[in-house]
Amino acid sequence: MTSLSGSAHDSVRARAHAVLPIASGIVLAALYLYTAAAATNGTLRVTVVEAGASAPTPVRVRITDASGKPISKAPLGALAMPGEALGVPREALAIMWGHDDSAQGYATQPDGAFYVDAPFDVALPPGDYVITLTKGYEFVRQQHRLTVSAGRSRKERYELRRWIDMPGRGWYSSDDHIHLRRSPRENPLVQRWLAAEDIHVGNLLQMGDFHTNYFTQYAFGAEGRYQEGGRLISPGQEDPRTPEIGHTISLGAAERVRVRPVDAYYGYDRTFDRVHALGGITGYAHQAITFHGYRGMTLDALQRKIDFLELLQFCAPAGPLITTHYYHFLDLGFPITALAGSDFPWCGRNKAFGAEEDEGPHIGDARFYTHVDGPLTFETWMRGVKAGRTFVTTGPMLDLRVDDAWPGTTLERKDGDTLRIVVEARGHAVDVPLRDLELVVHGQVVKAVSAGEPGQSAERLRLTHDLRVGAHGLWVAARARGGPTQVAHTTPVYVRANGQGFANPATRGRYLELSEQYLREIEAALDQPGTAVNEQMSRYRAGMERRVAETRAILAQLATASR
């Protein structure tokens, strides 16, 4: 240790005595400015209820200033603590683990909104503001202009009203793709986030890759599920996921599945088989568009290893609805249920999709509805999903019946029979203004109606159609479009004819060749492996070559059957 002489001590003390008044002055000045600002702020006190109810309801709140800028929007990854950041009330529902899967204090959403489930007070500088209240797609969006005055308190009470009650019709909303690290402490908070977005079943996915895991779930199966207030959190996994053959999702399994040894990671079929044995379902994320998901889907759809495709999402540039690979495998005669999810906190509506502004990641912005028999439980919901009773939507509501059968049903008919098809779409004149409704058979529109036609409107579109069954089976689906970014699509009803499947003979040759092209892409990727750390498929070369050979044998069988 170095000692100081007396003169040196005197010098240090002199500097310290000089610095302390300066530091004290800075602190006092900051305190004065803070106190002065607090004294000139006004207070907005808000209560939000559902129409006909007295208790507050969970809701998404966004407050913008006169220029349209959200007052509580924090930079990505920055802390935003309830009651300690401008425009974030202490009643805001915050969870610990944020966008980057670290302890960031997730009190505000990427667009500056926050969630509350109680009356809240927020201090605001004097000025004009717009408060926007939303609760999913079934409630009318509200915007209110107001002025906050210095030193004054303003009380507001708002009532949210439904434009449609889907649970009353037996349909419950779900998001199949949410990433939030979760412990039991977060369950009530995440449940209220879901309630504020009017999501009934939120699937929280632990994400994995060849090396590690992200957005960890504390448990899987029944132990990891949480139900409160008619809403359900269920753990799942986005794993395996690779850049060479795509990202996959597994839902509802009794435990997490991780294939060992690690060199077998690219054997997606082994994961899917185990998930099915554990009572779960499997499918491909991101419409099988990004990360070469269509390659893996070629292997797994043709080998009947998957149950669903994430058909609707604001991730891939051509979205939100991309049917390219969905129609491909439906036309080859493979039933696949349509699901949808937000991929929160990564993807969201923005101007590239036709939105008025870049809204950013948003739980439930792409969702699917499942028809459930009886009260909503995990078991009744999973039965509905496994039966294919679903439609996906970013706004419009759809109802398809073929001879009174739900989507996902397989009907047995014979040549000359007539199918009675009824389709209805519902919307809201302002929030979800319907534009058109289409009946799709084997990927082709066979009948359509639009809002401008007699008997149709922006709030309700309806069509009926009698379709004659020929020598070949077919699949029947419906889709609807509303305002920008608003679209919906059903899972098909499958119609077998004369004991045969529902494949489309007109497109079979083209889709068989396209499937072979995707297999050749896998072989090329094995021959010229990538150099990124997550490109490891060549380590499973023998397994991939075996799967490609097995799939080629299926293509040969399909080609022979079509002659």
Side-chain angles (χ1 to χ4, degrees), residues 422-446:
V422 180
V423 189
E424 184 173 89
R426 292 279 184 168
H428 181 269
V430 176
D431 290 354
V432 190
L434 297 176
R435 191 175 74 198
D436 54 53
L437 172 63
E438 298 173 330
L439 176 63
V440 180
V441 178
H442 271 163
Q444 301 299 312
V445 177
V446 299

Side-chain angles (χ1 to χ4, degrees), residues 225 227 232 234 251-253 376-383:
R225 291 195 284 270
Q227 187 161 7
L232 178 68
S234 182
L251 306 175
L376 177 66
T377 65
F378 173 78
E379 290 74 21
T380 59
W381 174 79
M382 182 56 80
R383 280 198 295 270

Side-chain angles (χ1 to χ4, degrees), residues 184-252:
R185 174 194 176 276
E186 273 77 43
N187 279 333
L189 297 168
V190 174
Q191 185 271 348
R192 284 159 178 77
W193 279 26
L194 298 178
E197 297 292 359
D198 200 29
I199 290 291
H200 287 88
V201 181
N203 295 277
L204 270 64
L205 305 185
Q206 180 167 303
M207 190 169 76
D209 58 23
F210 189 84
H211 304 279
T212 189
N213 302 299
Y214 317 87
F215 302 103
T216 306
Q217 301 300 295
Y218 65 87
F220 287 80
E223 186 180 349
R225 291 195 284 270
Y226 178 82
Q227 187 161 7
E228 178 190 346
R231 299 178 193 274
L232 178 68
I233 298 171
S234 182
Q237 62 184 76
E238 185 180 7
D239 186 28
R241 47 187 288 278
T242 70
E244 299 101 327
I245 57 174
H247 292 190
T248 71
I249 295 174
S250 295
L251 306 175

Side-chain angles (χ1 to χ4, degrees), residues 147-284:
T147 299
V148 173
S149 302
R152 302 288 297 274
S153 177
R154 176 168 181 162
K155 279 189 176 182
E156 298 291 346
R157 184 180 186 273
Y158 301 115
E159 291 190 357
L160 298 181
R161 299 182 180 276
R162 287 183 176 273
W163 63 266
I164 195 167
D165 182 4
M166 294 302 287
R169 301 168 181 232
W171 291 91
Y172 292 89
S173 60
S174 306
D175 186 328
D176 80 341
H177 202 149
I178 303 169
H179 293 300
L180 290 170
R181 182 185 289 248
R182 181 173 62 109
S183 71
R185 174 194 176 276
E186 273 77 43
N187 279 333
L189 297 168
V190 174
Q191 185 271 348
R192 284 159 178 77
W193 279 26
L194 298 178
E197 297 292 359
D198 200 29
I199 290 291
H200 287 88
V201 181
N203 295 277
L204 270 64
L205 305 185
Q206 180 167 303
M207 190 169 76
D209 58 23
F210 189 84
H211 304 279
T212 189
N213 302 299
Y214 317 87
F215 302 103
T216 306
Q217 301 300 295
Y218 65 87
F220 287 80
E223 186 180 349
R225 291 195 284 270
Y226 178 82
Q227 187 161 7
E228 178 190 346
R231 299 178 193 274
L232 178 68
I233 298 171
S234 182
Q237 62 184 76
E238 185 180 7
D239 186 28
R241 47 187 288 278
T242 70
E244 299 101 327
I245 57 174
H247 292 190
T248 71
I249 295 174
S250 295
L251 306 175
E255 61 188 54
R256 183 219 177 187
V257 176
R258 181 78 168 179
V259 172
R260 292 287 187 262
V262 73
D263 283 1
Y265 186 74
Y266 284 78
Y268 288 10
D269 55 329
R270 294 176 58 182
T271 296
F272 296 157
D273 288 345
R274 181 60 179 157
V275 168
H276 289 139
L278 292 168
I281 57 175
T282 63
Y284 274 79

Side-chain angles (χ1 to χ4, degrees), residues 166-496:
M166 294 302 287
R169 301 168 181 232
W171 291 91
Y172 292 89
S173 60
S174 306
D175 186 328
D176 80 341
H177 202 149
I178 303 169
H179 293 300
L180 290 170
R181 182 185 289 248
R182 181 173 62 109
S183 71
R185 174 194 176 276
E186 273 77 43
N187 279 333
L189 297 168
V190 174
Q191 185 271 348
R192 284 159 178 77
W193 279 26
L194 298 178
E197 297 292 359
D198 200 29
I199 290 291
H200 287 88
V201 181
N203 295 277
L204 270 64
L205 305 185
Q206 180 167 303
M207 190 169 76
D209 58 23
F210 189 84
H211 304 279
T212 189
N213 302 299
Y214 317 87
F215 302 103
T216 306
Q217 301 300 295
Y218 65 87
F220 287 80
E223 186 180 349
R225 291 195 284 270
Y226 178 82
Q227 187 161 7
E228 178 190 346
R231 299 178 193 274
L232 178 68
I233 298 171
S234 182
Q237 62 184 76
E238 185 180 7
D239 186 28
R241 47 187 288 278
T242 70
E244 299 101 327
I245 57 174
H247 292 190
T248 71
I249 295 174
S250 295
L251 306 175
E255 61 188 54
R256 183 219 177 187
V257 176
R258 181 78 168 179
V259 172
R260 292 287 187 262
V262 73
D263 283 1
Y265 186 74
Y266 284 78
Y268 288 10
D269 55 329
R270 294 176 58 182
T271 296
F272 296 157
D273 288 345
R274 181 60 179 157
V275 168
H276 289 139
L278 292 168
I281 57 175
T282 63
Y284 274 79
H286 314 309
Q287 300 105 333
I289 288 286
T290 56
F291 307 103
H292 301 104
Y294 57 89
R295 296 175 181 170
M297 191 174 177
T298 300
L299 301 174
D300 293 308
L302 295 179
Q303 294 189 28
R304 299 186 185 275
K305 299 294 184 180
I306 61 171
D307 307 286
F308 65 85
L309 175 66
E310 192 174 60
L311 185 60
L312 193 65
Q313 191 171 76
F314 290 101
C315 282
L321 178 67
I322 305 176
T323 59
T324 305
H325 303 303
Y326 194 47
Y327 289 2
H328 173 164
F329 295 104
L330 288 176
D331 265 11
L332 286 178
F334 294 85
I336 302 174
T337 297
L339 300 191
S342 60
D343 197 6
F344 181 88
W346 301 109
C347 301
R349 272 188 177 92
N350 58 46
K351 294 176 182 177
F353 294 109
E356 292 183 1
E357 62 176 305
D358 293 330
E359 298 179 18
H362 192 151
I363 290 174
D365 59 3
R367 62 184 65 191
F368 71 98
Y369 280 78
T370 306
H371 191 268
V372 171
D373 292 327
L376 177 66
T377 65
F378 173 78
E379 290 74 21
T380 59
W381 174 79
M382 182 56 80
R383 280 198 295 270
V385 175
K386 286 183 176 180
R389 295 178 180 175
T390 71
F391 70 88
V392 301
T393 185
T394 58
M397 301 297 161
L398 271 178
D399 188 357
L400 166 70
R401 306 291 179 90
V402 180
D403 284 353
D404 290 325
W406 298 105
T409 303
T410 298
L411 301 177
E412 296 287 346
R413 296 293 185 267
K414 61 182 184 298
D415 191 357
D417 287 348
T418 298
L419 302 170
R420 179 63 171 174
I421 303 172
V422 180
V423 189
E424 184 173 89
R426 292 279 184 168
H428 181 269
V430 176
D431 290 354
V432 190
L434 297 176
R435 191 175 74 198
D436 54 53
L437 172 63
E438 298 173 330
L439 176 63
V440 180
V441 178
H442 271 163
Q444 301 299 312
V445 177
V446 299
K447 190 171 184 178
V449 296
S450 62
E453 298 177 22
Q456 312 290 347
S457 73
E459 295 185 335
R460 180 176 180 270
L461 297 173
R462 189 175 191 273
L463 67 79
T464 61
H465 186 65
D466 292 329
L467 181 66
R468 184 182 180 277
V469 178
H472 302 280
L474 43 86
W475 58 266
V476 181
R479 65 189 181 212
R481 283 185 285 263
T485 77
Q486 295 175 336
V487 64
H489 197 295
T490 70
T491 292
V493 172
Y494 310 104
V495 183
R496 289 166 50 88

